[in-house]
Amino acid sequence: MNATFRPAQIDAALDVPPDPRQRMSATQEERLRELSERTGEPFYEDLTVLQAEQRIELLEAVVY
């Protein structure tokens, strides 16, 4: 089997994770607001993508 590498067919942007220093996404913000309300925990709107991901995991552990 001889695989031919065709770089024109690869979209590198699809394989790159978001920059963890980037501001959290709208989806993350919405989920955090919901979880904060359910748990009575404060909502922090200035989190990065990575911080928001970690906070979501923490709050989901409390809820579930």
Side-chain angles (χ1 to χ4, degrees):
M1 190 187 273
N2 187 3
T4 305
F5 180 69
R6 297 181 191 144
Q9 293 181 339
I10 297 173
D11 185 352
L14 296 176
D15 286 343
V16 177
D19 182 348
R21 298 166 295 175
Q22 179 181 351
R23 187 182 185 291
M24 73 175 135
S25 69
T27 303
Q28 286 178 309
E29 185 173 352
E30 182 179 329
R31 182 69 177 142
L32 274 175
R33 282 186 193 278
E34 175 190 329
L35 288 168
S36 293
E37 288 176 12
R38 289 177 69 181
T39 60
E41 292 289 324
F43 171 75
Y44 303 107
E45 59 185 63
D46 59 343
L47 299 179
T48 65
V49 168
L50 182 59
Q51 291 169 327
E53 182 179 309
Q54 293 169 341
R55 183 87 173 138
I56 289 168
E57 287 178 17
L58 178 72
L59 294 177
E60 284 179 339
V62 172
V63 171
Y64 302 112

